[in-house]
Amino acid sequence: MSAVLDSHGHGHDDHHGAPHGWRRWVYATNHKDIGTLYLLFAFTMLMIGGILALLIRAELFQPGLQLVNPELFNQLTTMHGLIMVFGAIMPAFVGFANWMIPLQIGASDMAFARMNNFSFWLMIPAAAMLAGSFFMPGGAPAAGWTLYAPLTLQMGPSMDAGIFAMHILGASSIMGSINIIVTILNMRAPGMTLMKMPMFVWTWLITAYLLIAVMPVLAGAITMTLTDRHFGTTFFNPAGGGDPIMYQHIFWFFGHPEVYIMILPAFGIISHIVPAFARKKLFGYASMVYATSSIAILSFIVWAHHMYATGMPVTGQLFFMYATMLISVPTGVKVFNWIATMWRGSMTFETPMLFAVGFIFVFTMGGFTGLILSMAPIDTQVQDTYYVVAHFHYVLVAGSLFAMFAGFYYWCPKWTGVMYNETRGQIHFWWTLISFNVTFFPMHFLGLAGMPRRYADYPMQFADFNALASIGAFFFGFAQVYFFLFVVLPAMRGHGEKAVAKPWEAAEGLEWEVPSPAPFHTFENPPKLDATATRVIG
Amino acid sequence: MSSTSHGSTPYYYVPHASRHPAMAALGLFFVILGAGQWVNGVEWGKYSLFFGLVFWLGVLYQWFGDAIAESEGGQYGHKIDLSYRWSMSWFIFSEVMFFGAFFSALWWARAHSVPMLGNLDNALLWPDFKAVWPTAAAGMTASPAGIVEPFQTMTPFWLPTINTALLLTSGVTLTIAHHALIENKRDTTIKFMWLTVLLGVVFLFVQGYEYAHAYSDMNLKLTSGVYGSTFYMLTGFHGFHVFLGMLMLLVITLRLQKGHFTADKHFGFEGAAWYWHFVDVVWLGLYILVYWM
Amino acid sequence: VNDLPGGPAVRQLNLQPGATKIAQEQGWLHWFMLIICTVIFVAVFGVMFYSIWKHRKSVGHKSASFHESVKVEIAWTVIPFIIVILMALPATKAVVAQKDTSNADLTIKATGYQWKWGYDYLKGQGEGIAFISTLDNAHREMSNNGAKGVDIDNYLLKVDNPLVVPVNKKVRIITTANDVIHAFAVPSLGVKQDAIPGFVRDTWFRAEAVGDYYGQCQELCGKEHAYMPIHVKVLSAADYSAWVATEQKKMAAKQDDPSKVWNLADLSKRGEKVYAANCAACHQPNGKGAGPIKPLDGAAVVLDADKNKQIKVLLNGQNNLTMPSWKQLSDTDIAAVITYTKNNWSNKTGQLVQPADVKAAR
Ligand code: HEA
Ligand code: HEA
Ligand code: CUA
Ligand SMILES: [Cu+2]
């Protein structure tokens, strides 16, 4: 191996500049460009999914059907869920991974640069098929994002388009995850041992593992749906000896780990921001790593807490109840560690920190409602009601989405070379936080009172809280438009104060060792690291 | 971009901008677009599907061509080799999970859904149904709703057992080929590789014959209730993987004939071999769980 | 609007008041969890906000350098673990109680159809009673019209035939479904059980007070998912006996003679009603179908001279039960609806299917 290295380190003049024009993006092999593509794609999907959500909220503003018919309503709900989960949250985190993992571990790029681009471009046809399914005969799939059989058997041709789109998205996720795992395992700069790795990298390592383990299972489930629909198999059809509940087991074996796939990278991002703005090292690094791993392991044995109402034997309910409740313990460890990191720090509250604190506060509320749901007897009351909707928006919107906002503000200088506008960032935060709670807090009450989810119309008693939630939702939506137009766009155009290599006083990590914006190529030869693997020393 | 232009093998080779990924995605777009239409009986669906497939294969051919050229051109150092090893292992893990879904379906049907359909409570709905696996063997029981025509089940003798022998033998011949490659006896390698590919092809023919026999003589079809469903989906996906593995081995063999690979650097070979062994292990699972039990 | 006793109250904040032991237990558990979680929440975030307030840079706080302490880390792993176990104890008791469906006084099968509920009294007083329960059509219309100016307390909860049960008796509900998954749920009685096609599941309740209790289908089951309410009417023992008696009389009166031979006009007229109640939701009143739903107007199976073809479809379903089986309808109803479809819209076959034909095909 002539692998060793002329070691004049990073940032030496490179005679390959960035390619220009559309080819730079379409033919990209550069992890930063691909990261940007992922992020833009995810934001677009957030807008589309958000508009669907706003249509849902507009319909639910008052009792009675005003805007859409019940068929369309179910399509909106289904596509909102699918697009948000598979189109917005997951790709956005892959975008963060693309941008940050090579920078944070001192690698020149992702392990398989072309496959990386393939993972990205696969999402375009899939997203086009998903969004286009609204225009197919019979409309978009309307069986809920969980695609339960046998309702899926009644769907029109768009269901098949949806199934194939999900296959492609799954393939994209698996390739992306393999890429990330291999990059992490094989391309760390010498001296960066696993236990010195930044938390974001750790959380993604574990997330990628989860993805590789469960995306194929989802593929299996929807393949069975496809053959049941068209080729006469009877996996989910009791008339031939199959079982609709079998679908649910397979789906949730994927589905539950999937929700941690959507939160673990968020934990990683928060674990960088809190120490940076508390000016104090992350408390309990090792226990963070162990907690993340335990969450991942436990996530494989709790899936049936989504199925208490299907009627399991007592032992089944108890097992899944206990296992689910256990997950609070490692998650609690994370929350406590973040707070201990703040404790006796020297804190400032720039936008990233605001979103991080907001995340911890609001996510924990979502975690507690999760814990309440995990109790089978209480779940009997609230399963498939708006309480569940409130729960998962607290963890997904105030969790995953807030963490992404935090991450955006935190790394924006590194990505764009300019600082975002702090005032606007703060406006965005408060606007988002307040309207978020106005939207989703009343849903707890609705759920407890018994309002079922996926309902196009509801009894009069639920009217006021629904109206409140709808108003909140529109404010929340406008906050994101504001964010895009007044924060993201100016930064992308390079308007704003020039950023130095390390704009945050106490931020740690290799990404701050390269100039801002990060040059097209970084760490082409492995950097030499100090003992903590956070600084480049040669 | 290659990471340094001086020195022969870069520390970690990063390819130039490439049009293959986007083109491959475009190809798959036509595939899924067409597939989604075709299953709904729309005529143009199949043209889109086949066009997409051919397009995609064409792109892959070029893409792999590039990769092979880079490899043979000495661009791939030790690190890249490791990356390939990791990635192949994780890919195989994902395949294991995919088969896991179908094995679980089989287990669920046998251990839960069929017995439950036949239990006392369910007698309310299906009074005539007796839970005997499979769900509708000739003259034994009917499927719950009587929608399944009687059929015979596939026994391990003799076709599946022959196939087991074929696959196990192919594992041995592949290993012989590998050892020969390490000892630089390329002629032996190539010979045994062809033999392995041939065994794979024969396996596929035997399976095709088995299917034909099942359809025409045993009335065992994809529509034969959950037994038929799991039987065909498990063996079918396995057969498809044999086909893929066989193609991989074929490509490797052709590359060997072209003089690719060396005694100490031949991950392409090993990756295909791992895959083949994986397919082999899945078959053993099938042989026991589907045919014997 | 006013509060609906046995249903939701206006701007209700918590679970509906329980009318069964189980529902009360659930309500108690919810409070129990809510209080513990709130206490933990306030404690944890009290610490955080204290720190945020005191340990600001702007007040000149300098950061400490500790970043590990095995002792506290073990403490905050072990203590939550213990808390979780404490929470699990009462929950376990409730699960076991909830699941015990043995020794029921009355057993009723609740079948989910798209989109209505069918109730069959299987065992206990009233055995043999069976009826279908559908949302009041006026409410469905109001919904379509945007519910403007509507001010009724049981909007979307009013059904034609409520499920009637006696007070203080253990009622076992067996759920199943005819087409897709539905869920039988009545919050104030503390029950929710998915109704799964092809399988039976069960749950139970013992209502402690006479009154009306409302629930809705809680599993997405297609377009009219929001329109298949559940109304449970709990009567005193005496009233219940009276209800059973009238119901049984009605049943006897309605009993059709399956060997009766009908003429085309009568049968068609009856079929029209059966069609409107069961088939129109999917196949549309005009028989044209919609989306994946096949049209009946001009359909080959309907026009076919071999009437058994259509009978088979109705009895066994088709397309993986996308078209469900309707074998629960009486021979007369099936005969009537087939006759109706064969002689309505542009279908003018003149064919007549007698109940006896259906009986023979069963
Ligand atoms: C990011 C996504 C995410 C996350 C992180 C979680 C986290 C959790 N979820 Fe959630 N969940 C969803 C997304 C998520 N969920 C979605 C999308 C659905 C609905 C799917 C659908 O049906 O469409 C759902 C549904 C759902 C259900 C099914 C509800 C139903 O349909 O009836 C249940 C039931 O148990 C549940 C439980 C939990 C639990 C126990 C956690 C735990 O991980 C939470 C742990 C965290 C804490 C508890 C807070 C912090 C801890 C402390 C401060 C320590 C001290 C605490 C104690 C000692 C108690 N979730
Ligand atoms: C994964 C993440 C995610 C995110 C981010 C969201 C975001 C939102 N969701 Fe959620 N939701 C889900 C995941 C998510 N959702 C899932 C999985 C389901 C279950 C689906 C199912 O039941 O199958 C669900 C279901 C669901 C329901 C229940 C539907 C039902 O049961 O019938 C509702 C109802 O209020 C809702 C509302 C919202 C709202 C108001 C937002 C808001 O946060 C959205 C904010 C809006 C924007 C960000 C858009 C901004 C754009 C504009 C304002 C337009 C401007 C236009 C241009 C710029 C051109 N969602
Ligand atoms: Cu029936 Cu929802
Ligand atoms: Cu879950």
Side-chain angles (χ1 to χ4, degrees), chain A residues 252 255-260 299 302-306 324 327 391:
Chain A
W252 287 115
H256 189 83
E258 166 71 13
V259 309
Y260 293 113
S299 77
V302 302
W303 75 87
H305 64 218
H306 296 272
T324 306
I327 296 194
H391 158 64

Side-chain angles (χ1 to χ4, degrees), chain A residues 85 145-146 148 251-252 255-256 258-264 267 295 302-309 320-321 324-333 335-336 360 363-376 379-380 382-385 388-389 391-397 399-400 453-454, chain C residues 33 36-37 40-41 44-45 76 79-84 87 192:
Chain A
V85 170
W145 83 281
T146 47
Y148 277 7
F251 178 86
W252 287 115
H256 189 83
E258 166 71 13
V259 309
Y260 293 113
I261 287 165
M262 293 189 281
I263 202 68
L264 293 183
F267 290 167
I295 294 176
V302 302
W303 75 87
H305 64 218
H306 296 272
M307 303 168 55
Y308 290 141
F320 285 107
M321 180 170 89
T324 306
M325 295 176 81
L326 267 188
I327 296 194
S328 320
V329 177
T331 316
V333 168
V335 172
F336 299 140
I360 299 172
F363 168 81
T364 303
M365 285 167 68
F368 279 134
T369 54
L371 188 64
I372 290 177
L373 284 170
S374 72
M375 305 267 266
D379 191 62
T380 304
V382 287
Q383 188 264 346
D384 257 331
T385 68
V388 179
V389 177
H391 158 64
F392 67 73
H393 284 91
Y394 265 78
V395 281
L396 279 169
V397 179
S400 317
R453 61 193 282 208
R454 297 162 171 169
Chain C
M33 290 295 288
I36 299 184
C37 289
I40 300 176
F41 192 82
V44 171
F45 287 96
W76 69 41
I79 294 171
F81 185 69
I82 295 170
I83 298 179
V84 161
M87 290 170 164
K192 174 173 299 156

Side-chain angles (χ1 to χ4, degrees), chain B:
Chain B
M1 314 278 125
S2 69
S3 64
T4 69
S5 39
H6 24 92
S8 54
T9 305
Y11 175 73
Y12 198 97
Y13 176 81
V14 179
H16 290 271
S18 159
R19 70 165 196 281
H20 303 321
M23 291 297 132
L26 185 66
L28 286 184
F29 174 65
F30 287 109
V31 172
I32 59 172
L33 182 72
Q37 295 300 319
W38 194 17
V39 291
N40 284 292
V42 177
E43 193 57 18
W44 58 262
K46 68 170 166 256
Y47 300 113
S48 171
L49 173 70
F50 287 122
F51 168 75
L53 263 184
V54 170
F55 186 90
W56 179 66
L57 286 174
V59 174
L60 282 199
Y61 183 78
Q62 296 177 9
W63 187 341
F64 289 167
D66 281 7
I68 291 168
E70 286 154 9
S71 172
E72 294 300 311
Q75 298 288 336
Y76 288 1
H78 166 67
K79 279 269 174 190
I80 298 248
D81 191 60
L82 260 181
S83 285
Y84 277 121
R85 280 164 202 276
W86 276 120
S87 64
M88 196 64 197
S89 325
W90 285 100
F91 171 61
I92 289 176
F93 173 56
S94 81
E95 293 272 36
V96 169
M97 296 305 291
F98 181 74
F99 275 99
F102 288 92
F103 276 114
S104 313
L106 173 65
W107 172 76
W108 183 266
R110 288 195 62 164
H112 289 264
S113 61
V114 170
M116 225 191 289
L117 284 165
N119 76 9
L120 271 159
D121 280 342
N122 257 324
L124 207 55
L125 303 176
W126 314 111
D128 308 328
F129 178 65
K130 274 200 284 316
V132 178
W133 181 264
T135 46
M140 279 212 301
T141 53
S143 68
I147 60 166
V148 177
E149 296 167 21
F151 59 85
Q152 284 174 296
T153 56
M154 192 57 81
T155 54
F157 300 107
W158 282 102
L159 296 177
T161 304
I162 294 172
N163 260 348
T164 310
L166 285 173
L167 271 195
L168 289 179
T169 316
S170 75
V172 175
T173 54
L174 184 59
T175 308
I176 296 176
H178 190 191
H179 281 283
L181 181 60
I182 293 172
E183 285 156 29
N184 229 338
K185 295 190 217 137
R186 298 184 68 92
D187 285 347
T188 322
T189 308
I190 292 171
K191 241 184 262 149
F192 274 90
M193 284 304 284
W194 277 117
L195 191 57
T196 313
V197 171
L198 187 72
L199 286 166
V201 173
V202 175
F203 175 95
L204 288 171
F205 270 103
V206 174
Q207 193 170 12
Y209 177 78
E210 177 193 336
Y211 278 8
H213 171 59
Y215 258 81
S216 52
D217 304 334
M218 304 166 72
N219 202 28
L220 172 57
K221 300 178 176 165
L222 200 53
T223 49
S224 297
V226 74
Y227 178 88
S229 309
T230 48
F231 174 78
Y232 279 106
M233 293 296 273
L234 273 164
T235 55
F237 270 118
H238 175 265
F240 179 65
H241 282 76
V242 171
F243 177 69
L244 288 184
M246 186 273 293
L247 281 188
M248 287 186 201
L249 293 177
L250 183 65
V251 170
I252 298 297
T253 313
L254 294 176
R255 285 183 62 188
L256 278 165
Q257 288 187 328
K258 270 191 169 171
H260 292 180
F261 303 121
T262 63
D264 50 47
K265 224 177 137 262
H266 49 257
F267 181 68
F269 182 109
E270 284 171 291
W274 291 356
Y275 195 77
W276 193 251
H277 290 312
F278 151 73
V279 170
D280 223 353
V281 172
V282 173
W283 175 260
L284 288 181
L286 285 176
Y287 184 59
I288 295 166
L289 294 173
V290 175
Y291 292 104
W292 273 98
M293 292 184 66

Side-chain angles (χ1 to χ4, degrees), chain A residues 65 154 228 237 279 287 309-310 312 322 344-347 380-381 383-384 449 455 457 461 464 505, chain C residues 2 11 16 26 55 57 61 63-64 73 92 98-99 114 143 153 155 187 192 194 201 217-218 320:
Chain A
L65 300 172
Q154 296 187 347
D228 268 16
N237 182 353
R279 291 167 182 74
S287 64
T310 56
M312 286 177 259
Y322 298 150
R344 295 180 50 211
S346 172
M347 279 183 272
T380 304
Q381 283 284 343
Q383 188 264 346
D384 257 331
Y455 259 31
D457 193 5
Q461 285 82 359
D464 292 349
E505 193 185 337
Chain C
N2 309 301
R11 287 188 293 281
Q16 297 179 12
Q26 291 161 350
H55 307 149
K57 193 181 178 200
H61 196 271
S63 59
E73 285 172 62
T92 304
Q98 230 174 292
K99 277 275 164 192
Q114 280 171 321
S143 180
D153 298 341
Y155 175 59
K192 174 173 299 156
D194 286 359
R201 292 287 151 72
C217 173
Q218 295 217 4
N320 257 328

Side-chain angles (χ1 to χ4, degrees), chain A residues 93 96 200 203 265-274 403-404 406-407 411:
Chain A
F93 278 135
F96 275 92
F200 179 67
T203 52
F267 290 167
I269 293 175
I270 301 301
S271 303
H272 285 278
I273 294 175
V274 171
M404 284 179 213
W411 283 311

